[in-house]
Amino acid sequence: MKFKQFFVLLLFLSVGILQNAAHARTQEEIERDLAKAADTAVAAYKEQGMLGLIIKTEECYERNIKKPLDCVYLDLASRRIDQVFVETMYFPPSEFFADEQFGPRIFPVLVSANMDMNTANQFLASITPVINNLVEKKLLGKK
């Protein structure tokens, strides 16, 4: 399967999962939100490094009441940036983006979106590769 087909399939899965959540979203809205999260994370990293990512992520959860899933997208994008630098530059991983701190941040958002554990896991499994790809393209210039 070509990457573009895989990407579209993941987006359709995500749309289906999100439509079962509290607010139905169109594919275009999800694509726009994912691209915005990747753009925001990469810009924050380029301006202020890992500290910038942490600040942006914390601010999002504190201030974004209308679209809290956007904070999960930003968190996932920021985690990917952390992973990229851990893998490529052998930097130590940021504790802020470790599972132990990530889970408690996203759990209330997913619960408020009416996701049970199974739906939340499916949502994360479908959306993470999409966000990872967007971040890598923007950060590393991959095509």
Side-chain angles (χ1 to χ4, degrees), residues 37 40-63 71 74-83 92-98 101-102 105:
T40 300
V42 170
Y45 180 78
K46 287 182 177 180
E47 291 173 16
Q48 297 179 307
M50 291 308 295
L51 181 59
L53 290 175
I54 292 168
I55 291 169
K56 279 283 188 199
T57 303
E58 287 178 330
E59 287 176 351
C60 186
Y61 285 109
E62 290 170 5
R63 298 179 183 168
C71 300
L74 177 62
D75 214 340
L76 286 166
S78 298
R79 277 172 55 103
R80 183 59 191 149
I81 292 171
D82 185 50
Q83 291 169 345
S94 169
E95 287 184 32
F96 182 82
F97 296 111
Q101 291 188 34
F102 175 71
R105 280 195 305 273

Side-chain angles (χ1 to χ4, degrees), residues 79-89 136 139-140:
R79 277 172 55 103
R80 183 59 191 149
I81 292 171
D82 185 50
Q83 291 169 345
V84 165
F85 285 98
V86 167
E87 294 167 2
T88 60
M89 306 290 273
E136 290 167 14
L139 188 65
L140 305 172

